[in-house]
Amino acid sequence: MKRFPHPTELLERFGLVGLLVILIIFFSLNPATPQFATVLNFTNILSNESVLGILVIATVIPLVANEIDLSLGPIAGLGSILCSGLMSKSGWPLWAAVVAAIVAGLLIGCVNGLLVARFKINSIIATLGTSSIIAALVLAYSNGLSIVTGISPALIDLGSGDWLGLPKTFWFFAAVAIIAYYFLEQLPRGKDLRAIGASPTAAKLVGINVSRLTIQSFIVAGTIAGGAGVLLVAIQGAGNPQIGANYTLPAIAAAFLGATAIQPGRYNVWGSITAVFFLAVSINGLTLWGAPPWVNDAFNGVALIVGVGLAVYAGKIRITRSARSDKEEQTPPPTVTEPELVSAATSKQ
Amino acid sequence: MSEKSVVESPRIAIAVRGLSKTYGSTKALDDVALDLRWGEVHALVGGNGSGKSTLIKILAGVVSADAGELTSAGETSELAHHTPVESSRAGLRFVHQDMAILPLLTVTENLGLGGRFVTGRFGRIRGRSNRAHVQKTLARFNLQVDPGARAATLATPQKALLAIARALQDIDETKRAILFLDEPTAALPAEEAAELLRSLRELADAGHCIVLVSHRLDEVRAAADRVTGLRDGRNAGTIDAQDLTETNLVELILGTEMPEMSAIETVAFGDDYVVDVRGAVGGPLRGATVRVRPGEIVGLAGLLGSGRTELLEMIFGVRKLESGELHFAGQRVSSPNASTMSKLGVAFLPEDRAGGGVFPGHSIATNMTAGQNRKYFTGTRMSHSRLMKDVKEDIVRYRVKASGPSALIESLSGGNQQKTALGRCLRTAPRLLLLDEPAQGIDVGARETVMTLILEAAKSGTAVIVASSEFEELTRLCHRIIVLSNGRDVDELAQGTGGHQILEAVLSQNKRAKQ
């Protein structure tokens, strides 16, 4: 028996998608932004947002367990400087440099996970700490200079070329999204991770290994962020020691805003991706319209606060709505629903 | 409604008439009347969803009524425009179930919370006057505690008294208050609950009016002068203490007589133990031994701090077994932890629903299947349809009243949340079921269901250990009752031992231990 979703439920789920579509139509028709509706602009958005998108998905994974990882931007920065530096300074082959960047992300994720799950340090504090340490490592390794020479042309080609008409980097983003979706929604482990996010104590009492799974979520996030660092080199054609921390706020903002869409009330992959493109299209459109560069930061900040605010508000509404639909079906006498449930339960046996 | 309908009497503290409140399509309160008298302990009873809490919220002025009048000190006012300030002026005071005592703050700070410090210019707290006020307040409420002590160091009845003192401190000796307490004894074992009830009686004797919301029927019978029942938002009647019997009290709440309990049968058990804990030491435990056979229900009785909860936690592996042995199905488990014990077939239902029994923000389906998702993994993906179908059956099997598997757990009453949590434990057909206060804070109807489900589980071969501070519950459930005192098992009572005998055994063991 499938119940037709309540209209406000539909609005909640697809409101952000609708807003995104309206924005695209608006900027496409707006005579002041003729460059918006061009193939070049769209491929630029897809390509530019790939790295952010991957980092947002990495952010979502520990968030599902209710842990915030602020170090994912810096890990990507480290990955980029390590990948480019090892090729440029030490002459490592591309594959080894790529593996090194990813392993670095994995190890930092492991440290984050241990700090949070074993030493019980609040995840915001722990990852803020590791962020600063990563920044120090990057500065020590690069002396604050970009690494522009000796980077494998194959890697740079990856950053500019396309497959099937879409930027190559976008395909990496899509792959990470699908794998993360599969992990979070289709594997028992993903469901366990959500249970931890809802109540770590209750999760422990149903036999979930809370600390191990929490550590794993940080490791997966760190590993993905390390890989995102490699894509940064591909897109920029250089290792940039400044770039990592710039991703932290937009990634967190999109992850929180994403929890208000598709599967409202929970951190989810598709909602987060919608949020990434909603923010990207807004900022891109406004910039083409002549908005000053600070609009970027302002937008991300507002999105973060609105996202968290909406999540709190929507959560309350959902409880009242669920309670109301319960009451409606219980009165008059509950005997009306119970035989229905019994027959539904027995007829399928 | 004419003012004359309220009989003018010096004994009437407040009178409520024609109180109605509708939420959406649900009538939470429908033409409810309530008379409270000075100097009485008035119990307010009713199942979950009967409207007790809505009534209290309206009187506190935090929820506005649709209609209704409040008469206090000869003045009648509309409850639709009732505010917290008016409520306070009328002498109404409230102590909520969690008591809002902050453990890390001192007694003085806890008393001062909510703008109750003695302050001077610029809102500065006047140290000396405030200290004098605190000393006076503590003396008035017979609280022998150090004003500088952290609240965490107080015993639970003292915390309750502190919450009462905070609520009543601005009512000076010449005035009288109407004090509402929402299940103040829910977290207290029998002895400490009795102590708190004695304090409440003293307050009533001093002229205050005490309104006690409680699910514990024995307590209501022992403590109340009058009992008012609410059922589905309507008055179910008011009974005076001298006419009060268990039967009419249950009728007041349920509207029918208490359903017949399936009494436990005497069963001959074999010698194979599902679980065998020997000399468990750790936390408050100092060498406790418990063993349970398949199909057997063993009760743990003891005062707060006797180690009931901790023993269950130790068997489940969430508390460290510092010394002693744990054997499960004949095999020694050297370092138990929750994951391995779950895999062995142990399920644990904790005492605190909000803090470990349920997954807030999630559906009944998620709550029922948490930790059991592997069962619905097809090898490539989660089978959502199979999960929903199973949960639908389980909702019926465990008698959860809800619109369906997707209903949020928060939308259910406490009793139905507990049935969901118990259902999660039972649906795996565990070999050992550990229950900590399984019927705490739920209404009579839900309690009967929970007890029946436990008995059924045992009948199908599950070994059960149940810790409870409600001894009647143990009498009705258990084949054997182990008395715990100061971390040791000190006595074993046979099947059918009555509640009073259990209490005597617990108290006598406790006295002996103290000597």
Side-chain angles (χ1 to χ4, degrees), chain A residues 51-52 55-56 59 63 68-77 124 127-128 131-132 134 242-256 279 297 300 304:
Chain A
V51 171
L52 177 62
L55 287 175
V56 170
T59 306
L63 259 187
I68 296 181
D69 191 341
L70 297 175
S71 69
L72 296 171
I75 290 178
I124 297 181
T127 55
L128 197 58
S131 295
S132 183
I134 296 166
Q242 309 290 335
I243 201 163
N246 296 348
Y247 281 105
T248 305
L249 186 81
I252 299 275
F256 275 95
L279 293 174
D297 285 341
N300 283 324
L304 180 62

Side-chain angles (χ1 to χ4, degrees), chain A residues 43-51 54 155-163 166-176 228 230-236:
Chain A
T43 33
N44 267 342
I45 291 179
L46 287 186
S47 164
N48 288 341
E49 299 308 319
S50 294
V51 171
I54 291 171
L155 188 59
I156 293 172
D157 174 59
L158 193 71
S160 51
D162 58 38
W163 286 323
L166 293 171
K168 287 178 183 172
T169 47
F170 175 78
W171 291 106
F172 282 97
F173 172 31
V176 170
V230 176
L231 283 188
L232 266 179
V233 182
I235 290 172
Q236 302 209 322

Side-chain angles (χ1 to χ4, degrees), chain A residues 75-87:
Chain A
I75 290 178
L78 176 71
S80 104
I81 213 77
L82 206 58
C83 177
S84 52
L86 287 174
M87 285 188 283

Side-chain angles (χ1 to χ4, degrees), chain A residues 1 3 182 185-189 191-192 194-210 212 265-266 315 318-319 322-331 334 337-338 341-342 344-346 348-349, chain B residues 23-26 316-318 338-339 342-343 348 350 354-362 366 370-374 377 379-383 389 392-393 395-397 400-404 406-408 410-412 416 424:
Chain A
M1 178 189 77
R3 190 173 53 93
Y182 184 72
E185 307 296 336
Q186 297 297 343
L187 290 188
R189 205 163 283 248
K191 298 285 179 193
D192 289 351
R194 278 226 194 273
I196 295 174
S199 167
T201 322
K204 196 169 182 184
L205 296 183
V206 299
I208 295 169
N209 194 332
V210 172
R212 190 169 69 192
R266 31 174 77 191
R318 257 192 308 282
I319 291 170
S322 185
R324 198 175 304 146
S325 77
D326 254 22
K327 297 257 162 63
E328 276 164 14
E329 291 187 39
Q330 264 178 32
T331 51
T337 47
E338 288 194 3
L341 282 171
V342 175
T346 47
K348 285 182 195 164
Q349 276 176 346
Chain B
Y23 287 111
S25 60
T26 320
F316 195 62
V318 286
S339 317
S342 304
K343 280 191 196 109
F348 179 40
V358 302
F359 295 88
H362 287 262
T366 305
Q372 306 162 10
N373 290 301
R374 267 144 206 88
F377 187 57
T380 51
R381 57 176 202 92
M382 295 290 295
S383 173
K389 184 182 148 247
K392 247 183 209 169
E393 291 172 24
I395 285 176
V396 178
R397 181 171 304 133
V400 179
K401 280 192 195 122
S403 56
S406 325
L408 278 185
E410 281 94 338
S411 68
L412 306 185
N416 283 309
R424 175 178 64 231

Side-chain angles (χ1 to χ4, degrees), chain B residues 97-121:
Chain B
Q97 193 174 356
D98 67 357
M99 298 190 291
I101 293 296
L102 304 183
L104 293 180
L105 298 189
T106 64
V107 167
T108 302
E109 287 164 338
N110 266 296
L111 273 177
L113 289 178
R116 295 184 178 99
F117 284 109
V118 179
T119 51
R121 234 195 291 190

